[in-house]
Amino acid sequence: MPTKIEKDSITGQETTGHEWDGLKELNTPLPKWWLYTFYATILFAAVWVVLYPAIPVQGWTGLTGWTARGALPAQMDAERARQAPMLARLREVSAEQIAADPELRGFALAGGRVGFANNCAGCHGAGGQGASGGFPSLADDDWLWGGSFEAIHTTISHGVRAGESDEERGIAMPAFLATGMLTQAQINDTADFVLSLSGRSADPAAVTRGRELYAENCASCHGDGGEGNRDMGAPRLNDQIWLYGGDRASVVRSIAYSRAGVMPAWRGRLDPAMINMITVYVHALGGGE
Amino acid sequence: MNQIAPERPKVDKKPEPSLYASHQKVQPRAVKGRVRNIKWAVLVVLLALYYVVPWFRWDRGPGVPDQAVLVDISHARLFFLWIELWPQEVYFLTGALVLGAIGLFAVTSLYGRLWCGFTCPQTVWTDLFMWVERRIEGDRNARIKLDQGAKDGRWWKLKLSKHAAWLFIAMATGGAWIMYFNDAPTVTWAMLTGQASLTVYGFFALFTATTYVLAGAAREQVCTYMCPWPRFQGAMLDDNSLVVTYRDWRGEPRGKPDAAHGDCVDCKACVHVCPTGIDIRDGQQLECIGCGLCVDACDDVMAKLGRDKGLIAFETLKNLAASQAAVAGMAPGPARNAAGMAARVPQKKIRPRTLIYAGVIMGVVALMLGAWMLRATLTLSVERDRAPLFVQLSDGGIRNGYTLKLANKTRGEDLHLALVLDGPQGLSLTVQDAMEDAAGRPILTTRDDGITQWRALVTAPPGLRLRDSTPITFRLVDGSGRTLVTQHSAFMGPRR
Ligand code: SF4
Ligand code: SF4
């Protein structure tokens, strides 16, 4: 820093005292308004730092105590309040009535999509496509317990074999080998007959033998022709959809050790409005009846 | 390229301004004349348009403001009279901006800085602010005296009233800007009664502040320091463009109105009226916005002296050079003036650059017109389900799900259109919650200026053997069997 302010002889301007190859740098300050704007931004920043949590130190929230996390409940409340009237209506009516009302239906489809993604997609897949190992597809035309609005609503509410209620969706298939009801040979024959129900290749002699075994042991639940029984959640055996696999080994295994998928009951865990919304959404996936 | 005038006769030029000079306040004097009248007229028309346009009504039906010109942020629509643009059509806006830019280039190459001097908002509002200043503080000399004098009661009174008036205009300007983005009557009432949103008041404050600062304080500094346009407009000008020019061949040498001197009496009227504070007699300068006020000022002086007008004029540099060459060596006086004027030729308007600009303008106009004619007011988008890719049905058939979005960009009657599927024989189509027409085809209904969404299912029966991906097409057909929209998609199945 020069101790004495030096003036440039040609322009009369002050110099900064810096010299480079004999050239002196002139001191040409910014216009005042520029400087004041600059100072104002500094002041703004200083105030901001004091008021808001701008310092990355544990526990420092600034004088206002504002945090993004802290602001969330208020935003959530506002959003809930906004949705409240709609949700109240969704709670009162049946899923079927929701589907008939375009406004409710649009809301339910949007809400149901989110609810499905949060609660159901883990087992049934993001688009309801199901997963191997006993997680049924919700987009096809096959329903174990029925595909009407009402049936879907009941399944979601009470789950399947959830132990939540004795009457609802609690029935399970016996394990014919494990309980000694059938021998391995009989089970093999029954399996051949079951395969023949849906036109799959099977040994004709075994089919003949299996026909009677099926009539005695299986028809009461799965129907004489394998048409299934929704009251009991007994799957159709005469179609092309096989929850646990339609090859011979899988069918044999199903008869020998039984199959019984479990789904939690959502009543009590989810808002009735949400169950309604998910019902409407699942119904719209493609398999609704 | 830009052939600038040859070596000029010795001009009584002041020394180059120092690059380090601090800012001098410019105190322009009032001026009367032809150019000034044109500028007043332009100012009145532009301001009237600015303040009145948002109030024009246009019947748009229910749900949206009936405003003729509106940038409707909440509905993501741009309304301009009968034109309504959706967000995906902003390229029309881009086209309009390109047209504006090229149009500006074309006008500049022909007539110089007409935009800067006459229509630029900075010029218009600064002119308005200066007019107010003059009404309150008086003309140039009175203002200079006021600024140099003591800050007494009169000083405070004048300054306060001036700034109050400026602030009022700035608020009216900022307020009117808000109306282009909101329904004008509603937002005006809300702003006046204190019920407008914080956003509205925020922008109102912002535009008020910018108007006040830019037109009140910054003025010519915006043109010389902040605006990029003067920096590159030199590329649009050539020596056939009209620019404000001092005819130095006629004016020099300056001095007393006698036979020994040229026509310029060095009265400095041209300098005193200049809103950017320059001396046009020094030649072409970046700071000159081409407002032509110096033309009026000098014409006034010439008239009083009984001499021909046009010592400062809108003139091409080519003619300036021609006149200079013609009068070389001649003594000042009417003979020299006549010779100089006689050497001029009419402005050459058709030049490569003007042709190119005209070509580009016509090209862009044609493109935009074409795009406008081909603009689909009805669009169908088809999203095929990804999970599951396809669904195995109990009878062995295969089904695919599709989400259809039908956008209708017009207002009026809802359309009821039949959805038709073109693809391999045997594929069947259903649409959830859709009515069907007599032929059993699903009917999709449009919504006024909105989107309707549908879920379509396409099924292949068990016997139909398709490849794993089969092209299919959805068509929307109106009552008379005309296809309005076509959209291609695919039908997926298991790998065979
Ligand atoms: S107004 Fe005309 S006469 Fe007066 S100084 Fe300017 S050019 Fe010369
Ligand atoms: S020199 Fe003349 S035309 Fe240029 S800005 Fe000044 S008054 Fe306007």
Side-chain angles (χ1 to χ4, degrees), chain B residues 216-238:
Chain B
R219 296 186 174 183
E220 84 286 349
Q221 297 171 71
V222 174
C223 310
T224 38
Y225 303 128
M226 294 163 75
C227 180
W229 176 230
R231 312 267 156 188
F232 64 83
Q233 64 166 342
M236 276 96 237
L237 295 169
D238 59 17

PDB file of all heavy atoms in Angstrom, chain B residues 216-238:
ATOM      1  N   GLY B 216     -35.317   6.460 -14.054  1.00  0.00           N
ATOM      2  CA  GLY B 216     -35.092   7.655 -13.258  1.00  0.00           C
ATOM      3  C   GLY B 216     -33.626   7.952 -13.045  1.00  0.00           C
ATOM      4  O   GLY B 216     -33.185   9.087 -13.216  1.00  0.00           O
ATOM      5  N   ALA B 217     -32.850   6.951 -12.712  1.00  0.00           N
ATOM      6  CA  ALA B 217     -31.458   7.186 -12.332  1.00  0.00           C
ATOM      7  C   ALA B 217     -30.467   6.745 -13.407  1.00  0.00           C
ATOM      8  O   ALA B 217     -29.571   7.498 -13.776  1.00  0.00           O
ATOM      9  CB  ALA B 217     -31.161   6.478 -11.017  1.00  0.00           C
ATOM     10  N   ALA B 218     -30.642   5.525 -13.932  1.00  0.00           N
ATOM     11  CA  ALA B 218     -29.599   4.993 -14.812  1.00  0.00           C
ATOM     12  C   ALA B 218     -29.646   5.616 -16.210  1.00  0.00           C
ATOM     13  O   ALA B 218     -28.617   5.951 -16.791  1.00  0.00           O
ATOM     14  CB  ALA B 218     -29.731   3.485 -14.913  1.00  0.00           C
ATOM     15  N   ARG B 219     -30.831   5.763 -16.764  1.00  0.00           N
ATOM     16  CA  ARG B 219     -31.028   6.435 -18.044  1.00  0.00           C
ATOM     17  C   ARG B 219     -30.047   6.022 -19.131  1.00  0.00           C
ATOM     18  O   ARG B 219     -29.949   4.871 -19.499  1.00  0.00           O
ATOM     19  CB  ARG B 219     -30.946   7.947 -17.835  1.00  0.00           C
ATOM     20  CG  ARG B 219     -32.044   8.446 -16.957  1.00  0.00           C
ATOM     21  CD  ARG B 219     -31.992   9.939 -16.928  1.00  0.00           C
ATOM     22  NE  ARG B 219     -33.130  10.462 -16.198  1.00  0.00           N
ATOM     23  CZ  ARG B 219     -33.358  11.739 -16.068  1.00  0.00           C
ATOM     24  NH1 ARG B 219     -32.546  12.626 -16.602  1.00  0.00           N
ATOM     25  NH2 ARG B 219     -34.411  12.138 -15.401  1.00  0.00           N
ATOM     26  N   GLU B 220     -29.263   6.999 -19.641  1.00  0.00           N
ATOM     27  CA  GLU B 220     -28.391   6.716 -20.785  1.00  0.00           C
ATOM     28  C   GLU B 220     -27.309   5.699 -20.429  1.00  0.00           C
ATOM     29  O   GLU B 220     -26.707   5.086 -21.305  1.00  0.00           O
ATOM     30  CB  GLU B 220     -27.780   8.015 -21.318  1.00  0.00           C
ATOM     31  CG  GLU B 220     -26.518   8.505 -20.604  1.00  0.00           C
ATOM     32  CD  GLU B 220     -26.810   9.110 -19.237  1.00  0.00           C
ATOM     33  OE1 GLU B 220     -27.988   9.342 -18.922  1.00  0.00           O
ATOM     34  OE2 GLU B 220     -25.829   9.368 -18.499  1.00  0.00           O
ATOM     35  N   GLN B 221     -27.078   5.516 -19.107  1.00  0.00           N
ATOM     36  CA  GLN B 221     -26.053   4.538 -18.725  1.00  0.00           C
ATOM     37  C   GLN B 221     -26.483   3.119 -19.065  1.00  0.00           C
ATOM     38  O   GLN B 221     -25.655   2.243 -19.286  1.00  0.00           O
ATOM     39  CB  GLN B 221     -25.781   4.648 -17.226  1.00  0.00           C
ATOM     40  CG  GLN B 221     -25.223   6.007 -16.871  1.00  0.00           C
ATOM     41  CD  GLN B 221     -25.152   6.190 -15.374  1.00  0.00           C
ATOM     42  OE1 GLN B 221     -24.339   5.567 -14.716  1.00  0.00           O
ATOM     43  NE2 GLN B 221     -26.014   7.032 -14.845  1.00  0.00           N
ATOM     44  N   VAL B 222     -27.820   2.903 -19.094  1.00  0.00           N
ATOM     45  CA  VAL B 222     -28.314   1.596 -19.521  1.00  0.00           C
ATOM     46  C   VAL B 222     -27.854   1.339 -20.953  1.00  0.00           C
ATOM     47  O   VAL B 222     -27.346   0.272 -21.291  1.00  0.00           O
ATOM     48  CB  VAL B 222     -29.855   1.539 -19.424  1.00  0.00           C
ATOM     49  CG1 VAL B 222     -30.380   0.238 -20.005  1.00  0.00           C
ATOM     50  CG2 VAL B 222     -30.295   1.708 -17.985  1.00  0.00           C
ATOM     51  N   CYS B 223     -28.003   2.391 -21.811  1.00  0.00           N
ATOM     52  CA  CYS B 223     -27.679   2.223 -23.234  1.00  0.00           C
ATOM     53  C   CYS B 223     -26.177   2.050 -23.438  1.00  0.00           C
ATOM     54  O   CYS B 223     -25.744   1.276 -24.280  1.00  0.00           O
ATOM     55  CB  CYS B 223     -28.159   3.423 -24.034  1.00  0.00           C
ATOM     56  SG  CYS B 223     -29.865   3.858 -23.696  1.00  0.00           S
ATOM     57  N   THR B 224     -25.384   2.779 -22.687  1.00  0.00           N
ATOM     58  CA  THR B 224     -23.953   2.733 -22.956  1.00  0.00           C
ATOM     59  C   THR B 224     -23.227   1.633 -22.197  1.00  0.00           C
ATOM     60  O   THR B 224     -22.261   1.083 -22.692  1.00  0.00           O
ATOM     61  CB  THR B 224     -23.296   4.090 -22.646  1.00  0.00           C
ATOM     62  OG1 THR B 224     -23.909   4.633 -21.492  1.00  0.00           O
ATOM     63  CG2 THR B 224     -23.457   5.045 -23.788  1.00  0.00           C
ATOM     64  N   TYR B 225     -23.697   1.312 -20.988  1.00  0.00           N
ATOM     65  CA  TYR B 225     -22.951   0.319 -20.203  1.00  0.00           C
ATOM     66  C   TYR B 225     -23.641  -1.030 -20.073  1.00  0.00           C
ATOM     67  O   TYR B 225     -23.002  -2.052 -19.922  1.00  0.00           O
ATOM     68  CB  TYR B 225     -22.691   0.857 -18.786  1.00  0.00           C
ATOM     69  CG  TYR B 225     -21.964   2.159 -18.762  1.00  0.00           C
ATOM     70  CD1 TYR B 225     -22.453   3.245 -18.049  1.00  0.00           C
ATOM     71  CD2 TYR B 225     -20.776   2.313 -19.481  1.00  0.00           C
ATOM     72  CE1 TYR B 225     -21.791   4.454 -18.039  1.00  0.00           C
ATOM     73  CE2 TYR B 225     -20.109   3.524 -19.478  1.00  0.00           C
ATOM     74  CZ  TYR B 225     -20.620   4.595 -18.760  1.00  0.00           C
ATOM     75  OH  TYR B 225     -19.961   5.776 -18.761  1.00  0.00           O
ATOM     76  N   MET B 226     -24.967  -1.038 -20.063  1.00  0.00           N
ATOM     77  CA  MET B 226     -25.658  -2.281 -19.734  1.00  0.00           C
ATOM     78  C   MET B 226     -26.201  -3.016 -20.954  1.00  0.00           C
ATOM     79  O   MET B 226     -26.269  -4.234 -20.969  1.00  0.00           O
ATOM     80  CB  MET B 226     -26.809  -2.002 -18.756  1.00  0.00           C
ATOM     81  CG  MET B 226     -26.341  -1.532 -17.412  1.00  0.00           C
ATOM     82  SD  MET B 226     -27.648  -0.751 -16.457  1.00  0.00           S
ATOM     83  CE  MET B 226     -28.574  -2.192 -15.971  1.00  0.00           C
ATOM     84  N   CYS B 227     -26.613  -2.268 -21.962  1.00  0.00           N
ATOM     85  CA  CYS B 227     -27.309  -2.921 -23.076  1.00  0.00           C
ATOM     86  C   CYS B 227     -26.311  -3.505 -24.081  1.00  0.00           C
ATOM     87  O   CYS B 227     -25.386  -2.827 -24.511  1.00  0.00           O
ATOM     88  CB  CYS B 227     -28.211  -1.914 -23.771  1.00  0.00           C
ATOM     89  SG  CYS B 227     -29.083  -2.647 -25.158  1.00  0.00           S
ATOM     90  N   PRO B 228     -26.479  -4.769 -24.439  1.00  0.00           N
ATOM     91  CA  PRO B 228     -25.550  -5.376 -25.397  1.00  0.00           C
ATOM     92  C   PRO B 228     -25.812  -4.951 -26.842  1.00  0.00           C
ATOM     93  O   PRO B 228     -24.932  -5.035 -27.688  1.00  0.00           O
ATOM     94  CB  PRO B 228     -25.816  -6.874 -25.239  1.00  0.00           C
ATOM     95  CG  PRO B 228     -27.210  -6.969 -24.732  1.00  0.00           C
ATOM     96  CD  PRO B 228     -27.462  -5.726 -23.929  1.00  0.00           C
ATOM     97  N   TRP B 229     -26.996  -4.501 -27.103  1.00  0.00           N
ATOM     98  CA  TRP B 229     -27.405  -4.217 -28.488  1.00  0.00           C
ATOM     99  C   TRP B 229     -26.500  -3.189 -29.186  1.00  0.00           C
ATOM    100  O   TRP B 229     -26.040  -3.430 -30.303  1.00  0.00           O
ATOM    101  CB  TRP B 229     -28.878  -3.818 -28.463  1.00  0.00           C
ATOM    102  CG  TRP B 229     -29.488  -3.400 -29.763  1.00  0.00           C
ATOM    103  CD1 TRP B 229     -30.210  -2.268 -29.987  1.00  0.00           C
ATOM    104  CD2 TRP B 229     -29.466  -4.096 -31.013  1.00  0.00           C
ATOM    105  NE1 TRP B 229     -30.620  -2.222 -31.278  1.00  0.00           N
ATOM    106  CE2 TRP B 229     -30.178  -3.324 -31.934  1.00  0.00           C
ATOM    107  CE3 TRP B 229     -28.891  -5.290 -31.433  1.00  0.00           C
ATOM    108  CZ2 TRP B 229     -30.341  -3.698 -33.259  1.00  0.00           C
ATOM    109  CZ3 TRP B 229     -29.053  -5.656 -32.753  1.00  0.00           C
ATOM    110  CH2 TRP B 229     -29.775  -4.878 -33.651  1.00  0.00           C
ATOM    111  N   PRO B 230     -26.185  -2.049 -28.533  1.00  0.00           N
ATOM    112  CA  PRO B 230     -25.315  -1.078 -29.221  1.00  0.00           C
ATOM    113  C   PRO B 230     -23.958  -1.674 -29.572  1.00  0.00           C
ATOM    114  O   PRO B 230     -23.308  -1.223 -30.506  1.00  0.00           O
ATOM    115  CB  PRO B 230     -25.148   0.048 -28.196  1.00  0.00           C
ATOM    116  CG  PRO B 230     -26.230  -0.137 -27.215  1.00  0.00           C
ATOM    117  CD  PRO B 230     -26.579  -1.576 -27.217  1.00  0.00           C
ATOM    118  N   ARG B 231     -23.534  -2.678 -28.814  1.00  0.00           N
ATOM    119  CA  ARG B 231     -22.194  -3.239 -29.016  1.00  0.00           C
ATOM    120  C   ARG B 231     -22.103  -3.987 -30.331  1.00  0.00           C
ATOM    121  O   ARG B 231     -21.065  -3.985 -30.971  1.00  0.00           O
ATOM    122  CB  ARG B 231     -21.825  -4.206 -27.891  1.00  0.00           C
ATOM    123  CG  ARG B 231     -22.077  -3.671 -26.524  1.00  0.00           C
ATOM    124  CD  ARG B 231     -20.857  -3.004 -25.958  1.00  0.00           C
ATOM    125  NE  ARG B 231     -21.270  -2.031 -24.944  1.00  0.00           N
ATOM    126  CZ  ARG B 231     -20.451  -1.182 -24.388  1.00  0.00           C
ATOM    127  NH1 ARG B 231     -19.183  -1.174 -24.723  1.00  0.00           N
ATOM    128  NH2 ARG B 231     -20.880  -0.321 -23.505  1.00  0.00           N
ATOM    129  N   PHE B 232     -23.180  -4.689 -30.703  1.00  0.00           N
ATOM    130  CA  PHE B 232     -23.032  -5.472 -31.922  1.00  0.00           C
ATOM    131  C   PHE B 232     -23.878  -4.988 -33.079  1.00  0.00           C
ATOM    132  O   PHE B 232     -23.856  -5.564 -34.154  1.00  0.00           O
ATOM    133  CB  PHE B 232     -23.260  -6.971 -31.662  1.00  0.00           C
ATOM    134  CG  PHE B 232     -24.640  -7.336 -31.217  1.00  0.00           C
ATOM    135  CD1 PHE B 232     -25.662  -7.515 -32.137  1.00  0.00           C
ATOM    136  CD2 PHE B 232     -24.905  -7.533 -29.880  1.00  0.00           C
ATOM    137  CE1 PHE B 232     -26.930  -7.873 -31.723  1.00  0.00           C
ATOM    138  CE2 PHE B 232     -26.176  -7.892 -29.467  1.00  0.00           C
ATOM    139  CZ  PHE B 232     -27.181  -8.051 -30.388  1.00  0.00           C
ATOM    140  N   GLN B 233     -24.609  -3.891 -32.879  1.00  0.00           N
ATOM    141  CA  GLN B 233     -25.412  -3.437 -33.999  1.00  0.00           C
ATOM    142  C   GLN B 233     -24.547  -2.871 -35.108  1.00  0.00           C
ATOM    143  O   GLN B 233     -24.998  -2.750 -36.235  1.00  0.00           O
ATOM    144  CB  GLN B 233     -26.387  -2.386 -33.552  1.00  0.00           C
ATOM    145  CG  GLN B 233     -25.623  -1.198 -33.084  1.00  0.00           C
ATOM    146  CD  GLN B 233     -26.468  -0.003 -32.933  1.00  0.00           C
ATOM    147  OE1 GLN B 233     -27.545   0.052 -33.479  1.00  0.00           O
ATOM    148  NE2 GLN B 233     -25.965   0.936 -32.190  1.00  0.00           N
ATOM    149  N   GLY B 234     -23.297  -2.550 -34.801  1.00  0.00           N
ATOM    150  CA  GLY B 234     -22.388  -2.081 -35.848  1.00  0.00           C
ATOM    151  C   GLY B 234     -22.334  -3.082 -36.991  1.00  0.00           C
ATOM    152  O   GLY B 234     -22.123  -2.712 -38.153  1.00  0.00           O
ATOM    153  N   ALA B 235     -22.568  -4.355 -36.662  1.00  0.00           N
ATOM    154  CA  ALA B 235     -22.532  -5.387 -37.691  1.00  0.00           C
ATOM    155  C   ALA B 235     -23.732  -5.282 -38.631  1.00  0.00           C
ATOM    156  O   ALA B 235     -23.712  -5.803 -39.738  1.00  0.00           O
ATOM    157  CB  ALA B 235     -22.496  -6.766 -37.037  1.00  0.00           C
ATOM    158  N   MET B 236     -24.792  -4.615 -38.193  1.00  0.00           N
ATOM    159  CA  MET B 236     -25.970  -4.465 -39.049  1.00  0.00           C
ATOM    160  C   MET B 236     -25.876  -3.218 -39.924  1.00  0.00           C
ATOM    161  O   MET B 236     -26.530  -3.126 -40.951  1.00  0.00           O
ATOM    162  CB  MET B 236     -27.238  -4.336 -38.201  1.00  0.00           C
ATOM    163  CG  MET B 236     -27.836  -5.636 -37.757  1.00  0.00           C
ATOM    164  SD  MET B 236     -27.298  -6.033 -36.116  1.00  0.00           S
ATOM    165  CE  MET B 236     -26.563  -7.603 -36.392  1.00  0.00           C
ATOM    166  N   LEU B 237     -25.093  -2.280 -39.462  1.00  0.00           N
ATOM    167  CA  LEU B 237     -25.006  -1.006 -40.192  1.00  0.00           C
ATOM    168  C   LEU B 237     -23.905  -1.077 -41.244  1.00  0.00           C
ATOM    169  O   LEU B 237     -22.882  -1.701 -41.042  1.00  0.00           O
ATOM    170  CB  LEU B 237     -24.666   0.122 -39.219  1.00  0.00           C
ATOM    171  CG  LEU B 237     -25.704   0.451 -38.145  1.00  0.00           C
ATOM    172  CD1 LEU B 237     -25.103   1.390 -37.113  1.00  0.00           C
ATOM    173  CD2 LEU B 237     -26.925   1.076 -38.776  1.00  0.00           C
ATOM    174  N   ASP B 238     -24.158  -0.467 -42.394  1.00  0.00           N
ATOM    175  CA  ASP B 238     -23.055  -0.240 -43.328  1.00  0.00           C
ATOM    176  C   ASP B 238     -23.189   1.185 -43.863  1.00  0.00           C
ATOM    177  O   ASP B 238     -24.017   1.953 -43.358  1.00  0.00           O
ATOM    178  CB  ASP B 238     -23.035  -1.297 -44.440  1.00  0.00           C
ATOM    179  CG  ASP B 238     -24.327  -1.297 -45.235  1.00  0.00           C
ATOM    180  OD1 ASP B 238     -25.084  -0.307 -45.155  1.00  0.00           O
ATOM    181  OD2 ASP B 238     -24.582  -2.293 -45.936  1.00  0.00           O
TER     182      ASP B 238
END
